């Protein structure tokens, strides 16, 4: 196993964003306390203007976001600071302001107008979107916003934030524990390696042995896959690949740990960027890409984890031909990182996003096949598709006889003709069919024509459980 990775050198240091927040907070208070022409207001406004210009010399957009008291400049954490700064952050957060984005072209009149707005602003007042209120005051280069709870105005479609309906109990427990672990890191506390090891054991010894759980992970996911769900799912899919290629038990345990924590760096990225629909601006993309290095840094500092874990967090967006990010030169990603990359892409595209419907499993397999070679390791893609079969457990399919059925078992020698459970008129399990059955002439009695989005009322778990009992 490889040793701790050397992290890429950070880019040129940015000026500290805290004085800008502090400047807005003091200006706001001065405007409330003194008449508008008071020299203290003019002085503070001049100082704030200088600070903002200093930042805008580096790029056309200054993005300051506060998440759980942590200040981020362009998505990079500047950490918590002394009491005075903490107070400035609290003042703004109490108003419901978690993000200040300032664009090139801003002038002192706009800075003053924002401070005045903040003085009069009541968080409970329903005065319409903040941008509209600022625009009425002549502010065009500054936006204020709330990061938490999530701003959902732009969502093209609402998906539930987590799986709905009955879940396999072990799988459900693993999701709950992972959510807690992510919350711990997001709130700035240290990750406990014992919690991680327990979770790895739960996945290997319980979740991986449940067909219902595997079906729920492999089939199309009609929920907006928050990072903790995604992480558990990627860990399970990586485990399937690991078993398929014959890794030994200790290596599988290391792989599952690394896969579980591969996206932990996203806890440091503003949620509105993580969940932004469509294309990201250049700066937002850089912010998102930083989740790899941020994740590796968090994991290197967490005692008791295996050395592989930060490596996979660092490398999981790197292609086998040296493409992707971060740029680590020609270095080929660790084999375990290559496994997690395959699992990560399958999981991401079979899950819903605010801006896209989930991709059906067999189409996701075709996407993987297209990426095999430059981006993904071809042998691992093949192993994955063989491990899950072309129609994963839990998929809802239509047959050539126009039957709707749920895939409840595999035929190892004939992956395109699995075992099916028909969906009856009440959306419950009907008769069982072996799709590999042939008629007297030796031709298949039926083929699978397509995978379908499961009807809302269909509970796939019931099908998988009844198949297990049969
Ligand atoms: Fe990632």
């Amino acid at each position: 196993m490889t040793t701790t990775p050397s992290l890429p050198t950070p880019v040129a240091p940015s000026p500290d964003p805290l004085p800008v927040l502090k400047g807005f907070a003091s200006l706001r208070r001065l405007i409330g306390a003194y008449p508008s022409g008071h020299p203290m207001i003019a002085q503070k406004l001049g100082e704030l203007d200088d600070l903002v210009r200093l930042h805008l010399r580096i790029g056309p957009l200054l993005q300051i976001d506060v998440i759980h008291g942590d200040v981020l400049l362009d998505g990079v954490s500047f950490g918590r600071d002394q009491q005075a700064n903490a107070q400035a952050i609290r003042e703004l957060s109490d108003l419901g302001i978690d993000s200040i984005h300032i664009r090139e072209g801003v002038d002192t009149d706009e800075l003053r107008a924002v401070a005045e707005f903040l003085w009069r602003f009541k968080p409970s007042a329903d005065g319409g979107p903040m941008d509209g209120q600022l625009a009425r005051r002549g502010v065009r280069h500054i936006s204020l916003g709330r990061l938490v709870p999530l701003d959902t105005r732009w969502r093209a479609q609402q998906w539930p934030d987590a799986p709905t309906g009955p879940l396999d109990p072990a799988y459900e427990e693993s999701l709950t524990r992972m959510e807690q672990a992510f919350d711990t890191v997001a709130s700035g506390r240290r990750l406990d390696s014992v919690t991680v090891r327990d979770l790895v054991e739960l996945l290997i010894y319980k979740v991986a042995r449940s067909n219902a759980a595997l079906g729920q992970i492999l089939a199309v996911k009609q929920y907006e896959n928050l990072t903790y769900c995604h992480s558990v799912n990627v860990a399970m899919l990586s485990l399937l690949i690991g078993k398929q290629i014959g890794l030994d038990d200790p290596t599988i345990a290391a792989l599952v740990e690394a896969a579980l924590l591969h996206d932990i760096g996203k806890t440091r990225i503003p949620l509105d960027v993580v969940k932004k629909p469509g294309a990201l601006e250049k700066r937002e993309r850089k912010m998102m890409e930083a989740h790899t290095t941020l994740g590796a840094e968090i994991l290197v500092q967490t005692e008791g984890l295996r050395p592989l874990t930060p490596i996979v967090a660092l490398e999981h967006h790197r292609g086998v031909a040296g493409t992707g990010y971060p740029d680590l030169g020609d270095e080929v990603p660790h084999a375990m990182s290559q496994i997690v990359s395959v699992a990560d892409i399958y999981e991401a595209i079979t899950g819903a996003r605010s801006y896209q419907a989930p991709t059906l499993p067999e189409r996701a397999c075709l996407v993987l096949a297209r990426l095999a070679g430059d981006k993904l390791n071809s042998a691992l893609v093949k192993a994955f598709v063989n491990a899950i079969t072309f129609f994963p457990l839990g998929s809802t399919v239509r047959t050539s006889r126009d039957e709707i059925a749920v895939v409840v078992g595999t035929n190892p020698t004939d992956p395109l003709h699995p075992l099916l459970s028909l969906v009856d008129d009440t959306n419950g399990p009907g008769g069982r069919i072996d799709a590999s059955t042939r008629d007297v002439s030796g031709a298949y009695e039926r083929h699978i024509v397509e995978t379908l989005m499961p009807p809302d009322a269909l509970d796939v778990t019931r099908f998988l459980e009844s198949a297990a009992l049969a």
Side-chain angles (χ1 to χ4, degrees):
M1 205 71 42
T2 338
T3 51
T4 305
S6 57
L7 299 177
T9 346
V11 284
S14 305
D16 189 344
L18 280 161
V20 175
L21 290 182
K22 226 175 141 184
F24 270 112
S26 333
L27 189 58
R28 170 181 172 267
R29 269 181 273 119
L30 289 172
I31 281 175
Y34 295 98
S36 62
H38 198 282
M40 280 177 72
I41 294 181
Q43 189 192 335
K44 188 50 79 183
L45 193 55
E47 285 171 20
L48 182 59
D49 189 42
D50 288 346
L51 281 171
V52 168
R53 271 173 217 296
L54 187 69
H55 281 274
L56 291 177
R57 234 184 274 153
I58 296 165
L61 179 64
L62 162 61
Q63 297 191 132
I64 305 175
D65 301 300
V66 179
I67 298 180
H68 298 298
D70 199 3
V71 178
L72 291 94
L73 175 65
D74 301 338
V76 178
S77 169
F78 267 73
R80 286 142 204 278
D81 213 271
Q82 307 87 5
Q83 206 51 42
N85 289 325
Q87 198 200 323
I89 294 166
R90 224 178 13 250
E91 264 183 66
L92 294 172
S93 290
D94 287 350
L95 288 171
I97 310 292
D98 301 310
S99 90
I100 299 182
H101 294 185
I102 307 174
R103 287 176 295 283
E104 207 170 38
V106 68
D107 59 30
T108 47
D109 287 345
E110 289 178 84
L111 295 174
R112 177 197 279 268
V114 167
E116 276 172 5
F117 170 77
L118 289 172
W119 177 251
R120 293 179 209 299
F121 181 67
K122 298 273 183 300
S124 56
D126 184 16
M130 271 189 251
D131 282 353
Q133 296 183 55
L134 290 173
R136 283 198 290 281
R137 289 170 166 79
V139 177
R140 286 168 297 119
H141 297 93
I142 305 177
S143 5
L144 301 175
R146 251 211 106 89
L147 289 177
V148 181
L150 291 174
D151 181 346
T152 54
R153 277 171 299 174
W154 39 257
R155 284 201 196 177
Q157 182 172 353
Q158 296 279 341
W159 300 93
D161 273 345
T164 52
L167 289 177
D168 170 84
Y171 177 44
E172 191 165 24
E173 192 189 336
S174 66
L175 291 176
T176 307
R177 289 208 220 163
M178 194 60 191
E179 186 177 14
Q180 285 162 357
F182 263 74
D183 283 348
T184 300
V185 181
S187 63
R189 281 172 288 145
R190 273 190 188 265
L191 189 62
D192 174 18
S193 62
V194 177
T195 307
V196 174
R197 285 198 187 218
D198 288 349
L199 193 44
V200 168
E201 290 201 354
L202 176 66
L203 293 181
I204 294 175
Y205 296 109
K206 286 201 177 151
V207 183
R209 291 178 181 171
S210 158
N211 269 354
L214 292 177
Q216 285 160 348
I217 291 163
L218 288 165
V220 63
K221 291 163 281 279
Q222 300 197 65
Y223 53 90
E224 182 135 6
N225 207 346
L226 293 180
T227 308
Y228 72 91
C229 298
H230 170 71
S231 301
V232 168
N233 294 349
V234 169
M236 289 304 302
L237 298 172
S238 301
L239 184 151
L240 290 181
I241 301 173
K243 283 194 172 165
Q244 182 74 17
I245 61 171
L247 297 181
D248 61 20
D249 289 350
T251 312
I252 285 193
L255 170 64
V256 171
E257 176 183 298
L260 253 185
L261 299 172
H262 76 283
D263 262 350
I264 197 87
K266 285 194 181 162
T267 55
R268 296 282 190 270
I269 312 289
L271 279 171
D272 62 344
V273 174
V274 173
K275 293 172 75 86
K276 183 179 171 178
L280 296 176
E281 288 168 22
K282 195 175 169 201
R283 283 183 150 230
E284 292 168 332
R285 208 178 60 239
K286 285 246 167 308
M287 222 188 267
M288 271 304 282
E289 291 180 358
H291 82 273
T292 50
T293 46
L294 291 170
E297 283 165 16
I298 293 169
L299 298 170
V300 162
Q301 288 160 15
T302 306
E303 279 172 29
L305 295 179
R306 296 169 173 89
L308 172 73
T309 303
I311 297 176
V312 169
L314 184 71
E315 295 181 333
H316 71 276
H317 285 286
R318 287 184 47 75
V320 285
T323 50
Y325 61 88
D327 185 358
L328 301 172
D330 293 337
E331 204 172 313
V332 177
H334 194 288
M336 299 301 117
S337 305
Q338 296 182 29
I339 292 178
V340 173
S341 295
V342 174
D344 186 24
I345 292 177
Y346 177 87
E347 212 292 320
I349 57 181
T350 53
R353 288 287 179 275
S354 51
Y355 49 91
Q356 71 174 30
T359 300
L360 295 164
E362 89 271 19
R363 243 175 268 162
C365 288
L366 294 174
V367 172
L368 294 183
R370 260 205 315 275
L371 295 173
D374 275 1
K375 168 96 181 137
L376 300 174
N377 178 320
S378 312
L380 292 175
V381 169
K382 208 170 160 193
F384 178 70
V385 176
N386 286 339
I388 67 167
T389 81
F390 208 66
F391 300 106
L393 288 177
S395 308
T396 308
V397 296
R398 186 198 307 279
T399 73
S400 50
R401 292 183 168 197
D402 211 21
E403 300 149 322
I404 308 292
V406 173
V407 177
V408 293
T410 54
N411 271 320
T413 53
D414 193 349
L416 294 177
H417 294 88
L419 303 175
L420 303 175
S421 173
L422 292 174
V423 177
D424 68 17
D425 294 342
T426 64
N427 278 320
R432 285 193 74 193
I433 297 171
D434 184 344
S436 67
T437 308
R438 295 166 188 260
D439 63 20
V440 282
S441 69
Y444 285 110
E445 286 185 351
R446 53 175 65 71
H447 300 284
I448 290 178
V449 182
E450 59 176 341
T451 307
L452 303 169
M453 284 291 172
D456 280 345
L458 193 132
D459 173 8
V460 171
T461 316
R462 272 179 66 207
F463 285 80
L464 293 163
E465 280 170 354
S466 71
L469 295 174

